[in-house]
Every structure is written in C-alpha cells, then in structure tokens.
C-alpha cells in the first residue's frame, strides 16, 4: 500500500491543489489526513469538500474542533482566533458536521497511528525529543504520523536507544524504516509550512518499501494571499506564507 499523508491544510486550497497535482503520478492507494483542514486560510469549504471527495482517513485537529466549538479557540492568539471565527461563519453546515464528526486519532491497517499533536494529547506540540518520548511511551505500532507543528521531520527510537537530540532531516528527505525501531513522522504543513521552507509539504508512506518520502511542492502563494486580503483576514497570516514560518 502507498499512503499519501497530508496535514495542516488550513483552508489553503491553492496549496492543496498543488499537492494533489503532485500526487497524481505517485500511485497512492489511500489518503490520510492528520487534521487542521480549516483555520487561518480563505477557502474552508473547498478544502473540506476536496478531503471528503478523496475518501480520506481524516482525524480532527485543534482548528477543526475550534471551528465547531468556539470555546476551544479561547487560547488561540488574536489573529488565529479572528481566522477561525471567519472560517466558522463561512463553513456550510455539512462541512461543520464533517469537522465535528472527525475522531481525535485513528489506527490504520493495524500498523499506523494517526494523531494531530501527539498520541496522548492532540494539543501537545511534538518539538523536542522529550516531547516525542510522550508518544513513544504509549505507541504500540512501528509508525505514528503526527502534525500540528507544521515541521517536516521525524523522530526515531530503537530498542533501548536515546531519541536523537536533533530534528533529523527537516525539510524533506526519505525516512527509511529500520528493524526494531519505531518512528514518529511529521509530513509538514500543506497550507502553512513553518519550517522555514515556504513550499507545501506532504509525505508518501510505502509500507512494502518501508519508506516514508517527505516531499515539497511550490504553489502560487500570491493567489492565496490575495484571497486572504479579499476576505479581510489578518495580514500577518498571509505575510507568513511567503516566509514559511
Ligand atoms: Zn495546524
């Protein structure tokens, strides 16, 4: 099986279209989405519609939950809160229901855990090896896929080993799964990358090859920025797209 892995689309339909176009030749059998289909960006309905049409195995991110439950946006920064309330006002009822019905995590084919921030807590940012250890402590599979930080990277833990102290292979590359080692892999953000690379990020997992390919694809940032300006979304939220932060 080959799985396309998408995360943190954030209502950026131009980036999502670029990723799906790039995937057209990748012969994937199944699409996985690690949450935050909406929030920040200008096209929440189109992103939800496209994810639903892909028959994706999709879990709920913190912005998806905040779109249907305003109390969950109280701790957001003021610009992020402004964006999610704009998204909430513009989402159709069927897409609000789609977001409300998403599960916080999923087990795929008895071999892959999907989570948003970490396995024990969807809101926890997995940034450091200490953060990663919280997920390794409870994961029962060889591979877990996570998002939330919008950083393309992975953490590996062999039997009795320390978790690497550095982020291995940020900004893409191939994660070759080794025997007796477990992996936490973040495909990076489709719609709002934050690892210093402004290109849309996603991954492909090939379970027969035992490899996760982290990929980047450029998209028309100007179009997304214009859509955000026209929607009256905060300038800082489209300015950051050019920088990948
Ligand atoms: Zn996100």
């Amino acid at each position: 099986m080959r799985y396309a892995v998408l995360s943190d689309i954030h209502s950026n339909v131009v980036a999502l279209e670029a990723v799906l176009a790039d995937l057209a030749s990748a012969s994937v059998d199944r699409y996985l989405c690690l949450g935050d289909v909406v929030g920040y960006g200008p096209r929440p309905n189109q992103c939800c519609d496209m994810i639903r049409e892909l028959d994706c195995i999709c879990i709920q991110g913190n912005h998806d939950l905040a779109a249907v439950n305003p109390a969950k946006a109280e701790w957001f920064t003021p610009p992020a809160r402004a964006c999610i309330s704009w998204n909430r006002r513009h989402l159709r009822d069927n897409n609000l229901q789609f977001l409300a019905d998403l599960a916080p995590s999923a087990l795929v084919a008895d071999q892959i855990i999907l989570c948003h921030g970490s396995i024990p807590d969807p809101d926890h940012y997995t940034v450091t090896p200490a953060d990663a250890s919280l997920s390794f402590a409870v994961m029962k599979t060889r591979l877990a896929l996570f998002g939330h930080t919008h950083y393309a990277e992975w953490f590996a833990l062999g039997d009795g080993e320390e978790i690497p102290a550095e982020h291995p292979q940020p900004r893409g590359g191939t994660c070759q799964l080794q025997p007796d080692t477990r992996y936490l892999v973040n495909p990076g953000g489709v719609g709002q990358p934050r690892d210093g690379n402004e290109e849309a990020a996603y991954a492909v997992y090939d379970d027969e090859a035992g490899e996760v390919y982290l990929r980047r694809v450029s998209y028309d940032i100007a179009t997304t920025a214009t859509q955000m300006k026209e929607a009256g979304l905060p300038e800082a939220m489209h300015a950051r797209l050019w920088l990948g932060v």
Side-chain angles (χ1 to χ4, degrees), residues 8 10 36 40 62-63 116 148 150 194:
D8 297 284
H10 285 301
D36 282 2
Y40 294 123
N62 55 312
H63 286 254
H116 187 61
H148 196 37
H150 309 193
R194 294 179 187 165

Side-chain angles (χ1 to χ4, degrees), residues 35-68:
D36 282 2
V37 178
V38 303
Y40 294 123
R43 292 292 183 270
N45 284 305
Q46 281 175 269
C47 290
C48 287
D49 291 346
M50 288 169 72
I51 288 296
R52 293 167 64 197
E53 279 162 24
L54 289 171
D55 193 23
C56 217
I57 300 174
C58 183
I59 61 167
Q60 187 181 61
N62 55 312
H63 286 254
D64 303 324
L65 179 57
V68 295

